[in-house]
Amino acid sequence: MFESYLFPIAYAFMAFPVAALFFTLPFLVVQYRRHGYINKVRAFVLYLFLLYLMNAVFLVMLPLPATRHNLPLSAGTMQLVPFNFIQDILRETSVVKGVPSTYLHLLKERAVLQVLFNVLLTVPFGMLVRYYFRIGPLRCLLLSFLLSLFFEVTQLTGIYGLYDHAYRVFDVDDLMTNTLGGMIGFLAAVWLSGLLPRIEHLDKGVDLSTKRVSYTRRGLAFMFDFAICIILMTICYTLRIPGAYFVSTGLYFILLPYLTGGCTFGKWLVRIRLIRSAGTSTESKAERWSGMDRAMGGSGANSVPGAGRGLGADRASRLDGVLGADGALRANSADGADSALRADGALGANKVLRADGALGADKALKADGVLGADGVLSENSADGAEGAFRADSSIDADRALSTQKALRADSSRGAIGTPNASSAAGSVSGTKQISNVREAGDPTRITLFALILRNGMLYWVLFGLNRMMAFSSSDFPGISRFLLGMLVLAIDVWFFIHLVKHLFQKDPQLFYEKISKTQHKIMFKPSADIHGDKA
């Protein structure tokens, strides 16, 4: 009896590597797209689920009939009487009522073992679907029933017409016991959850920006890209385009990533893109101005009195100066010059804060602030966030800066940067220029020159030499063909060693990437529902 169950299990384990090979491709794509990386616990559970399903299918299907033209079952193909297995147990077992010593024989009887195995068959299914997919009891009940129904229909139809007749009986008792096993597994999933981490917490604390792009991920992207490029190359050859190989690879691996910000279809599929290496992008002007502001001792927005917090009338605040007795805000000048930043007059609702002499080598400071009636310096411009001063050179104390616009103070506001302190029409030109610089583009976006250098070395030189050797070597004289072959062989061996070395060292940049100063980056933003619990 046990041998009839062990032999399908042995076949399932032997076939598992082949099934796992075909399962790996969609598994990797789904994991990269849904989670941004491969989690070992998640991979273990899914491959374990695959192994279980293979064992279940083999147990149900095997052994198969000796021929496709099998004979009909003599006892009929359907058993629709519920709990008929009780009659089978009473009829086939040697249990004697009132003799307890005969009860142990039940564990050896075929009818009893068949019921037990039908229950155990779907216990792992209930455990895994609850643990991994986090489904409720009703859905587990339905899925367990549908899985059992799939088994029974497959047997009833002779594997959907592969055999002339059904080779096993459609038994309603099997539906009942399989569904019961699924629900037992659902309850036992609590025990499984104690052995493994909660599936919804696997991605918590994972910082994808610190993860390197693995060669497995790059290889998967390359496989899809190469298949598409072959199609494009075939079209170019069909249209008799000169240099079809160089045209197709140039269009797909150079022009397309340039237009899409470093993406091809394969890279998009696994959520990666090409960027310029860290440290190669030029510092943006806004960052340079921010650095100069810090070097000047905080004469930017961060040094504005009370920036980002309320400044009440009862609190004195200074910009390297003091609040005078007459209510004027005086500054001893952040640049060490004699000019002072002061309020012309006492604190009033409509008095404009004006710079009598300030910073800026080539741009006038556009101040947007006013002194509120309650003694609060109200500033509505975006300067408080982006940097109030912009300097391209050293401080020029000889050039005076005056306000461009006067904004009315909102006397009910007591904080700098209050959204309603003034109208949006009073935004200053300095802030607009900073915003324009920051919106000019991603400093890590890959350039056309970097793409030509990177992919040109890979596809036009390295792969191009191999293509030349394979398809055009007959055009060369004998000695030239021999030398070309030795050169290509030496390059291929060197590249293989180079690739294997970087693979084991987990160095993400190959030689052509270091020369072109490019690298891959994960482009994944986890959605809010990935970590959330399901109802």
Side-chain angles (χ1 to χ4, degrees), residues 328-530:
L329 181 64
R330 309 185 65 84
N332 290 332
S333 170
D335 59 347
D338 293 332
S339 56
L341 183 65
R342 61 186 178 81
D344 289 343
L347 301 176
N350 297 319
K351 292 296 183 181
V352 179
L353 177 63
R354 174 164 68 84
D356 290 326
L359 312 175
D362 51 3
K363 293 289 182 181
L365 171 68
K366 308 289 193 290
D368 216 7
V370 294
L371 293 177
D374 55 354
V376 177
L377 176 64
S378 301
E379 172 146 347
N380 192 47
S381 70
D383 295 8
E386 297 290 334
F389 298 95
R390 298 183 55 179
D392 291 328
S393 62
S394 60
I395 302 167
D396 186 356
D398 296 330
R399 300 187 59 179
L401 305 176
S402 60
T403 43
Q404 183 186 29
K405 290 186 181 292
L407 302 179
R408 293 189 178 275
D410 186 353
S411 59
S412 63
R413 298 290 176 179
I416 294 178
T418 306
N420 294 327
S422 61
S423 64
S427 61
V428 298
S429 61
T431 302
K432 292 180 180 178
Q433 292 173 2
I434 291 176
S435 300
N436 291 338
V437 170
R438 294 195 173 185
E439 295 173 1
D442 184 1
T444 63
R445 184 183 179 92
I446 195 165
T447 62
L448 183 61
F449 174 76
L451 282 167
I452 294 174
L453 189 59
R454 178 192 189 278
N455 291 336
M457 283 188 288
L458 179 62
Y459 296 103
W460 292 346
V461 178
L462 187 62
F463 290 174
L465 286 174
N466 282 272
R467 176 186 172 278
M468 183 185 300
M469 186 64 196
F471 298 104
S472 305
S473 60
S474 58
D475 299 336
F476 294 89
I479 185 65
S480 300
R481 185 164 59 249
F482 172 77
L483 293 176
L484 176 63
M486 295 302 296
L487 174 64
V488 172
L489 178 62
I491 292 176
D492 288 346
V493 171
W494 172 83
F495 182 70
F496 176 77
I497 296 174
H498 173 76
L499 179 61
V500 171
K501 178 183 175 182
H502 282 66
L503 181 64
F504 281 99
Q505 292 179 346
K506 296 183 179 180
D507 186 349
Q509 282 186 300
L510 297 175
F511 78 95
Y512 54 88
E513 293 171 315
K514 291 181 179 178
I515 294 175
S516 61
K517 296 181 180 179
T518 58
Q519 66 183 40
H520 284 90
K521 180 182 178 181
I522 298 175
M523 53 171 195
F524 179 82
K525 293 182 179 179
S527 57
D529 62 332
I530 287 181

Side-chain angles (χ1 to χ4, degrees), residues 29-312:
V29 171
V30 171
Q31 294 301 305
Y32 283 137
R33 290 204 60 78
R34 179 169 175 77
H35 303 285
Y37 75 111
I38 302 299
N39 184 280
K40 294 179 181 179
V41 175
R42 188 180 288 117
F44 170 75
V45 172
L46 287 176
Y47 277 95
L48 185 65
F49 193 46
L50 174 65
L51 179 61
Y52 156 72
L53 288 177
M54 291 186 62
N55 277 276
V57 170
F58 277 52
L59 282 168
V60 171
M61 302 303 170
L62 297 181
L64 297 173
T67 175
R68 288 186 58 194
H69 307 292
N70 59 324
L71 297 176
L73 296 173
S74 57
T77 58
M78 302 184 73
Q79 194 290 111
L80 301 179
V81 180
F83 301 104
N84 187 65
F85 66 89
I86 298 177
Q87 298 296 327
D88 293 339
I89 292 174
L90 295 176
R91 183 173 59 252
E92 297 181 13
T93 59
S94 57
V95 176
V96 178
K97 185 178 180 181
V99 183
S101 61
T102 62
Y103 294 168
L104 294 177
H105 292 289
L106 285 173
L107 300 178
K108 299 180 181 179
E109 299 292 343
R110 184 203 66 84
V112 175
L113 290 177
Q114 183 174 349
V115 174
L116 290 178
F117 284 140
N118 279 333
V119 173
L120 293 176
L121 181 65
T122 52
V123 168
F125 179 79
M127 294 174 65
L128 292 171
V129 295
R130 180 181 183 182
Y131 171 75
Y132 187 83
F133 298 103
R134 295 173 290 156
I135 64 173
L138 292 180
R139 293 179 64 185
C140 182
L141 179 70
L142 178 61
L143 290 175
S144 300
F145 174 79
L146 291 177
L147 178 66
S148 179
L149 183 63
F150 165 74
F151 291 154
E152 297 301 315
V153 171
T154 302
Q155 294 172 343
L156 179 65
T157 58
I159 310 183
Y160 305 101
L162 180 62
Y163 295 94
D164 291 346
H165 302 283
Y167 63 95
R168 290 193 181 181
V169 176
F170 181 99
D171 195 339
V172 70
D173 286 340
D174 290 349
L175 289 175
M176 295 166 56
T177 52
N178 290 158
T179 305
L180 175 63
M183 294 308 297
I184 294 175
F186 177 84
L187 298 176
V190 178
W191 169 78
L192 180 63
S193 300
L195 298 178
L196 297 173
R198 291 177 63 88
I199 201 72
E200 63 268 26
H201 295 163
L202 290 181
D203 301 323
K204 286 188 176 180
V206 175
D207 186 3
L208 293 178
S209 64
T210 62
K211 285 187 173 291
R212 67 179 182 88
V213 178
S214 66
Y215 285 99
T216 302
R217 195 171 194 160
R218 292 173 58 174
L220 185 63
F222 175 76
M223 184 178 66
F224 284 101
D225 287 337
F226 186 75
I228 296 176
C229 190
I230 288 293
I231 297 174
L232 181 60
M233 192 184 309
T234 303
I235 295 174
C236 291
Y237 275 115
T238 303
L239 298 176
R240 300 184 182 279
I241 297 176
Y245 171 78
F246 296 98
V247 171
S248 57
T249 52
L251 288 175
Y252 190 79
F253 290 107
I254 296 178
L255 183 60
L256 179 61
Y258 175 70
L259 297 176
T260 58
C263 281
T264 57
F265 174 76
K267 296 184 191 303
W268 169 84
L269 198 62
V270 299
R271 293 190 181 272
I272 59 175
R273 68 184 180 102
L274 283 172
I275 63 169
R276 286 187 283 179
S277 299
T280 60
S281 60
T282 57
E283 187 182 15
S284 67
K285 290 184 179 180
E287 292 171 344
R288 188 164 65 249
W289 289 325
S290 177
M292 295 184 71
D293 287 341
R294 290 192 294 270
M296 288 186 290
S299 55
N302 292 332
S303 64
V304 176
R309 64 182 183 274
L311 184 61

